[in-house]
Amino acid sequence: MTIAMYVRVSTEEQNDVSQRRELKKWIVANGINPSTVHWYVDKASGSTLDRPALDQLRKDVENGAIKTVVTWKIDRLSRDLIQGFELIGKWCKLEVRVVIVTLALDLSGPIGQAVACLYFALAQVEKENIKERQAAGIA
C-alpha cells in the first residue's frame, strides 16, 4: 500500500459520498489500480488532528507504508493553520506526495507548502466564521 485516500466529515450524520466519488475519479484519471489504494475515513471535527483514521494514516506515513496522500479538500486534513502546516511539513520532509483534488494541487515542495499555508489559513477563518454564526443563532 502506497497511496492513501483521506476522507473526513464533521459529524456522524453526514455522509462522505461526494468526497469518495471525486477521489475515485482521481484514481481512474491517474491510471491507478484501485486495489492499491487504502482509504482512511473520519467522522470528526477538523479543528483537531486527534482523529482515529488520521492517527493511523500518520503512523502509516511515518513507517513508510504510504508515499502519497490524496484528499478532496485541504480542510479535510485540518481547519487549523499551525496544525495543518506542521502536518504537511512533516509529510513533505518524509518525501510524501500530498494531493488536494479540488485544487488540482500537489503540495510537494516549497511552492506547494506555501500555497498549503494560505489554504489552511482560509480554512481556519472559515472555522471561526462557523463558530460566530452558531453563537449568533443560539443568541
Side-chain angles (χ1 to χ4, degrees), residues 55-105:
D55 289 343
Q56 185 60 54
L57 174 56
R58 289 162 51 190
K59 287 176 189 170
D60 291 345
V61 164
E62 288 170 17
N63 72 28
I66 298 294
K67 290 297 180 188
T68 301
V69 175
V70 183
T71 191
W72 180 61
K73 288 178 66 176
I74 200 164
D75 67 0
R76 301 300 82 199
L77 292 172
S78 180
R79 285 192 178 268
D80 182 272
L81 171 63
I82 303 301
Q83 289 181 355
F85 192 68
E86 287 176 351
L87 177 67
I88 295 299
K90 186 171 188 177
W91 286 352
C92 288
K93 282 183 181 177
L94 295 170
E95 298 182 0
V96 172
R97 181 178 179 216
V98 181
V99 177
I100 310 302
V101 172
T102 57
L103 300 173
L105 183 63

Side-chain angles (χ1 to χ4, degrees), residues 83-134:
Q83 289 181 355
F85 192 68
E86 287 176 351
L87 177 67
I88 295 299
K90 186 171 188 177
W91 286 352
C92 288
K93 282 183 181 177
L94 295 170
E95 298 182 0
V96 172
R97 181 178 179 216
V98 181
V99 177
I100 310 302
V101 172
T102 57
L103 300 173
L105 183 63
D106 187 329
L107 303 181
S108 304
I111 298 297
Q113 291 173 35
V115 171
C117 191
L118 171 65
Y119 279 103
F120 281 127
L122 293 172
Q124 183 170 323
V125 167
E126 177 60 16
K127 177 182 74 173
E128 296 304 320
N129 287 341
I130 290 169
K131 283 182 183 178
E132 287 176 11
R133 288 191 301 267
Q134 287 173 335

Side-chain angles (χ1 to χ4, degrees), residues 13-90:
E13 294 79 32
Q14 294 174 310
N15 72 57
D16 57 20
V17 173
S18 61
Q19 290 180 52
R20 285 178 182 265
R21 180 177 48 244
E22 295 307 312
L23 293 173
K24 287 176 183 175
K25 285 181 188 177
W26 184 91
I27 291 168
V28 170
N30 285 276
I32 295 167
N33 179 346
S35 68
T36 65
V37 174
H38 188 74
W39 293 81
Y40 297 81
V41 180
D42 275 317
K43 291 194 174 204
S45 171
S47 62
T48 177
L49 295 182
D50 206 13
R51 294 173 245 144
L54 184 60
D55 289 343
Q56 185 60 54
L57 174 56
R58 289 162 51 190
K59 287 176 189 170
D60 291 345
V61 164
E62 288 170 17
N63 72 28
I66 298 294
K67 290 297 180 188
T68 301
V69 175
V70 183
T71 191
W72 180 61
K73 288 178 66 176
I74 200 164
D75 67 0
R76 301 300 82 199
L77 292 172
S78 180
R79 285 192 178 268
D80 182 272
L81 171 63
I82 303 301
Q83 289 181 355
F85 192 68
E86 287 176 351
L87 177 67
I88 295 299
K90 186 171 188 177

